[in-house]
Amino acid sequence: MKNKQILVVEDNELNREILMEILEDRYKVLEAENGQKALDILKKYKDEIALILLDVMMPVMDGYTFLKKMKAVPEYSVIPVIVMTQGDSEEDELKALAYGATDFVPKPYRPQIILHRVASIINLRETAALANQFKYDRLTGLYSKEFFCHKVRELLRENPQKEYDIICCNIENFKLFNDAFGVYAGDRLLRMIALCFTQLADRKELVCRFWADRFVWLRKRTAEYDDEMFLELDRKINDLPNAKNLSLKWGIYRIIDRSVSVEQMCDRAIFAADSIKGQYMNHFAVYDEAMRDELLRKQEIIEDMETALEKEQFEVYFQPKNDLGTGKIAGAEALIRWNYPIRGMISPGEFIPLFEKNGFISRLDQFVWEKTCLWMKRWKEKGYPVLPVSVNVSRADFYQMDLQDVLSSLVTKYGLTSNYLHLEITESAYTENPKEILRMVEKLRKKGFIIELDDFGSGYSSLNLLNQMELDILKLDMGFIRSEMTKPADKGILRFIVELAHWKNLQVVAEGIETYEQMVRIRDLGCEYAQGYYFARPMSGQDFEVLLNEEFGKKIHDGKTGVERRQ
Ligand code: C2E
Ligand code: MG
Ligand code: MG
């Protein structure tokens, strides 16, 4: 039962002993002989202390100074304090209450009175804390999402004439900040941003942390928003200690139609902020009709995905991969397409990010792998040389299935060997839990699958990761090649990467080759393979078969049935 802890701050040893005797049957008791010692204890045990009993007259640091200091620290200030006053000094009692004490007890001590007061204050605080738990965000002390929405509804109802906007703020590179400085520093930064928001907001406005690094603010309407206002806010936040180079995006939803739910209003402001992700020049965006249509389209995609899979609206396309030495087709990449009724073909750029978020990607990927194996089996049966085909593997796939088992069963089912199925994994897949993914990749590689690192150079490429990974092939992102051709300052990087890859015994595939000049450049640098519109666009399985026939058909008639694999 003795699970509650009380801190007794009293310089007189005898008094401490008396208090100990009164309390120790029911509570665990910590002791401090002055205010300074008490602050040291608070620093260590702040979360475990249910109440403080405080004497006012003490050497080193008296009770009032202690009260003042502890009330200034938000985490300490919630702990109730009972001040022990001399006799019936009204002046002492008033002063204690003015400094933030919860209650007082006069000396000399009367055990039953002390026990009752302590118990009822602890009880009161716990009940209040329980109620507040749902109202406030634990990390920042701002309103919780639910309570914020409740308060906004109330405010809108009570002020039908006033005009408000919902403003959302998103820190674009917060994940990077967390990775670089650690979660603790990240939390501290969020707390400081929260404080900054409370200072920015008017007394009649409301602020909450919606989730993670997203803050939402109900603000009185400003006629027009401009960059200057948001740049000023960015500066304020970036002026916080440690918060250098935070890139912030602001989204605004103008509350005109009050029949829209508050949750939806917030979602729309967040959507507006997200719409300018990665756009260096844009600091804020106002939710408009075009965004509404886009949001609806996204909802529609999610609603229709299951049916689309059932009704075979998804189709696997193949984009040839060419050998730069011979100029011949050396393989392909399987890419998903969605034959959407009415709208026609929609590109994966539109739906893959949504499916990655809701997990559907894993089912879709398995569909692609299966169809790819089916086509490969068919081409093999028709006598075409067996060419390796690369399939994309999402980060979610590592967590949602036993990859090794699923992929091995697939190749066996279709009479293929695992080294003809190449697995493309993007570098970003490694960012969250690199060890686990590295381990799984190693297992897959032992099973014979060929591992390709996709989109290398598109994100924050880490040479360190390149060093740790068990890899076979490096796929250079198309942006890499483009900037090498256009920005003189980037010259040399590509050569360096290709040389590094070769030194690590990796083959290199250049993606997105669109022109003759690009092809010559990467060929001269020593890339083994290339993929891109210059050679061919992604095409249906039937069309790819026609291509195979053009390229290898004659050989089949010659009786030659295979090309040598180049790994
Ligand atoms: P990715 O894996 O890097 O695929 C290459 C993308 O570049 C493809 O876009 C391809 O059509 C496009 N591309 C190829 N050559 C050129 C070129 O010369 N110029 C330009 N501008 N683009 C070129 P796509 O098919 O739209 O796919 C986009 C991304 O969607 C893929 O990037 C991949 O990350 C993802 N994806 C596609 N299919 C699947 C799939 O079945 N599963 C998973 N998990 N992701 C997929
Ligand atoms: Mg790919
Ligand atoms: Mg790629």
Side-chain angles (χ1 to χ4, degrees):
M1 263 309 282
K2 278 186 7 176
N3 53 4
K4 297 197 175 112
Q5 199 144 259
I6 291 183
L7 172 61
V8 171
V9 193
E10 158 75 88
D11 61 320
N12 184 313
E13 204 179 334
L14 189 65
N15 280 346
R16 284 208 304 271
E17 268 173 34
I18 299 174
L19 284 169
M20 189 71 139
E21 250 172 57
I22 299 175
L23 297 165
E24 71 183 352
D25 279 351
R26 300 198 190 166
Y27 304 99
K28 282 189 217 160
V29 183
L30 288 170
E31 297 174 64
E33 63 212 47
N34 61 51
Q36 186 52 53
K37 288 257 166 64
L39 281 178
D40 295 342
I41 292 180
L42 270 187
K43 198 169 171 188
K44 232 170 150 181
Y45 301 107
K46 59 177 183 296
D47 295 331
E48 293 150 40
I49 295 175
L51 183 136
I52 299 172
L53 273 168
L54 176 70
D55 183 25
V56 279
M57 303 281 285
M58 288 179 294
V60 187
M61 187 192 286
D62 69 11
Y64 296 126
T65 316
F66 168 77
L67 254 178
K68 206 162 119 192
K69 290 202 171 195
M70 77 162 275
K71 289 293 167 188
V73 182
E75 293 153 291
Y76 306 163
S77 68
V78 289
I79 305 172
V81 181
I82 299 181
V83 169
M84 301 173 290
T85 52
Q86 264 331 313
D88 274 338
S89 158
E90 192 175 324
E91 193 192 329
D92 275 358
E93 291 167 2
L94 283 175
K95 197 167 168 190
L97 294 175
Y99 273 89
T102 318
D103 203 353
F104 51 85
V105 287
K107 288 181 185 174
Y109 304 131
R110 283 174 291 172
Q112 285 311 313
I113 298 279
I114 291 190
L115 280 175
H116 269 110
R117 291 232 166 128
V118 165
S120 78
I121 288 176
I122 291 180
N123 188 14
L124 210 65
R125 182 202 172 202
E126 282 175 350
T127 320
L130 203 66
N132 281 347
Q133 202 180 344
F134 303 104
K135 286 187 185 172
Y136 299 100
D137 168 43
R138 283 177 65 158
L139 182 72
T140 60
L142 294 181
Y143 286 146
S144 67
K145 175 179 168 180
E146 292 72 20
F147 194 58
F148 171 81
C149 291
H150 165 77
K151 292 292 273 185
V152 173
R153 272 191 291 277
E154 214 173 65
L155 199 86
L156 293 177
R157 208 174 32 241
E158 287 166 8
N159 299 281
Q161 306 305 333
K162 290 202 182 127
E163 293 184 313
Y164 295 96
D165 293 331
I166 297 252
I167 298 190
C168 152
C169 155
N170 181 28
I171 307 165
E172 257 206 320
N173 45 357
F174 186 67
K175 192 176 170 338
L176 211 66
F177 182 95
N178 254 341
D179 288 347
F181 302 110
V183 175
Y184 181 73
D187 283 355
R188 204 175 49 191
L189 180 66
L190 290 176
R191 275 198 292 266
M192 289 199 290
I193 294 179
L195 201 66
C196 197
F197 266 107
T198 43
Q199 287 160 1
L200 285 169
D202 190 271
R203 222 165 32 87
K204 296 226 172 95
E205 298 175 348
L206 304 164
V207 184
C208 93
R209 184 168 79 116
F210 220 61
W211 77 79
D213 55 340
R214 283 163 197 257
F215 293 87
V216 178
W217 176 9
L218 178 86
R219 194 171 179 278
K220 285 191 211 130
R221 162 120 3 119
T222 307
E224 286 302 327
Y225 291 97
D226 57 23
D227 274 350
E228 203 31 57
M229 166 182 165
F230 291 102
L231 284 171
E232 177 62 27
L233 294 176
D234 287 7
R235 265 193 295 276
K236 278 208 172 92
I237 290 176
N238 269 304
D239 276 347
L240 295 170
N242 289 334
K244 299 284 167 285
N245 294 326
L246 289 180
S247 159
L248 295 134
K249 297 289 177 219
W250 300 85
I252 299 157
Y253 175 75
R254 289 175 173 276
I255 305 178
I256 293 164
D257 176 2
R258 293 196 178 195
S259 67
V260 175
S261 76
V262 175
E263 285 81 358
Q264 228 171 352
M265 293 176 183
C266 296
D267 282 346
R268 291 177 180 183
I270 290 170
F271 187 76
D274 285 350
S275 73
I276 47 170
K277 222 178 190 165
Q279 297 176 13
Y280 179 71
M281 295 302 286
N282 288 326
H283 308 287
F284 75 98
V286 183
Y287 183 86
D288 59 16
E289 283 300 303
M291 284 185 201
R292 198 183 80 109
D293 292 346
E294 203 185 323
L295 203 60
L296 285 178
R297 191 170 158 100
K298 284 191 172 166
Q299 277 164 0
E300 214 174 20
I301 283 178
I302 291 178
E303 272 163 28
D304 293 347
M305 64 189 190
E306 296 275 354
T307 330
L309 194 60
E310 270 164 37
K311 295 198 170 161
E312 303 239 341
Q313 289 170 8
F314 288 109
E315 188 177 352
V316 180
Y317 267 41
F318 297 90
Q319 184 175 35
K321 186 166 82 179
N322 282 63
D323 183 325
L324 286 167
T326 62
K328 291 214 180 282
I329 299 174
E333 175 174 3
L335 293 159
I336 190 77
R337 294 291 178 265
W338 186 348
N339 256 313
Y340 211 106
I342 309 168
R343 280 194 211 148
M345 204 65 102
I346 64 174
S347 105
E350 197 172 337
F351 55 85
I352 296 265
L354 299 179
F355 295 170
E356 274 172 346
K357 269 198 202 137
N358 68 10
F360 186 68
I361 188 68
S362 295
R363 284 180 53 205
L364 193 62
D365 277 345
Q366 288 190 68
F367 168 85
V368 174
W369 305 338
E370 176 118 31
K371 287 286 176 199
T372 299
C373 291
L374 193 66
W375 276 109
M376 286 168 83
K377 176 173 178 255
R378 172 176 157 144
W379 296 327
K380 189 174 159 199
E381 281 169 1
K382 286 200 170 178
Y384 297 116
V386 180
L387 298 177
V389 179
S390 314
V391 291
N392 290 285
V393 178
S394 286
R395 173 171 37 192
D397 300 340
F398 284 91
Y399 301 107
Q400 298 201 357
M401 62 184 99
D402 183 346
L403 256 185
Q404 186 191 333
D405 195 45
V406 170
L407 287 163
S408 302
S409 317
L410 258 184
V411 287
T412 313
K413 178 174 167 191
Y414 290 97
L416 304 163
T417 50
S418 47
N419 59 334
Y420 282 82
L421 199 60
H422 291 198
L423 309 179
E424 292 195 5
I425 303 166
T426 58
E427 203 185 12
S428 56
Y430 291 83
T431 49
E432 232 151 67
N433 201 342
K435 281 215 182 82
E436 205 168 307
I437 298 211
L438 285 172
R439 225 180 2 252
M440 178 49 93
V441 168
E442 203 180 312
K443 274 198 212 159
L444 288 166
R445 202 163 174 263
K446 282 214 178 84
K447 281 266 172 191
F449 294 101
I450 306 289
I451 310 296
E452 303 189 5
L453 186 59
D454 200 3
D455 301 342
F456 187 78
S458 64
Y460 298 95
S461 301
S462 146
L463 294 180
N464 188 32
L465 185 67
L466 203 59
N467 209 25
Q468 288 173 9
M469 276 182 76
E470 294 250 1
L471 269 185
D472 300 283
I473 294 173
L474 193 71
K475 284 194 93 169
L476 290 177
D477 189 68
M478 56 184 91
F480 221 141
I481 290 129
R482 237 156 260 173
S483 66
E484 145 92 15
M485 305 279 291
T486 51
K487 290 191 213 147
D490 287 357
K491 281 233 156 39
I493 298 180
L494 195 55
R495 178 182 297 277
F496 169 73
I497 296 292
V498 175
E499 277 171 11
L500 185 75
H502 286 162
W503 178 69
K504 294 234 26 135
N505 264 335
L506 306 178
Q507 293 191 322
V508 182
V509 181
E511 279 192 274
I513 298 302
E514 291 182 346
T515 65
Y516 176 74
E517 289 73 27
Q518 288 174 340
M519 187 277 287
V520 171
R521 174 89 184 126
I522 50 133
R523 191 187 60 197
D524 292 350
L525 282 177
C527 290
E528 282 82 0
Y529 303 100
Q531 185 181 326
Y533 295 170
Y534 172 71
F535 303 96
R537 289 192 176 238
M539 58 188 84
S540 67
Q542 287 85 352
D543 287 345
F544 190 73
E545 193 171 314
V546 172
L547 207 67
L548 283 178
N549 196 33
E550 281 167 13
E551 192 115 351
F552 303 106
K554 196 168 152 291
K555 282 201 187 132
I556 293 168
H557 297 300
D558 289 347
K560 292 179 189 157
T561 53
V563 286
E564 216 171 292
R565 274 190 70 226
R566 296 177 54 90
Q567 32 249 348

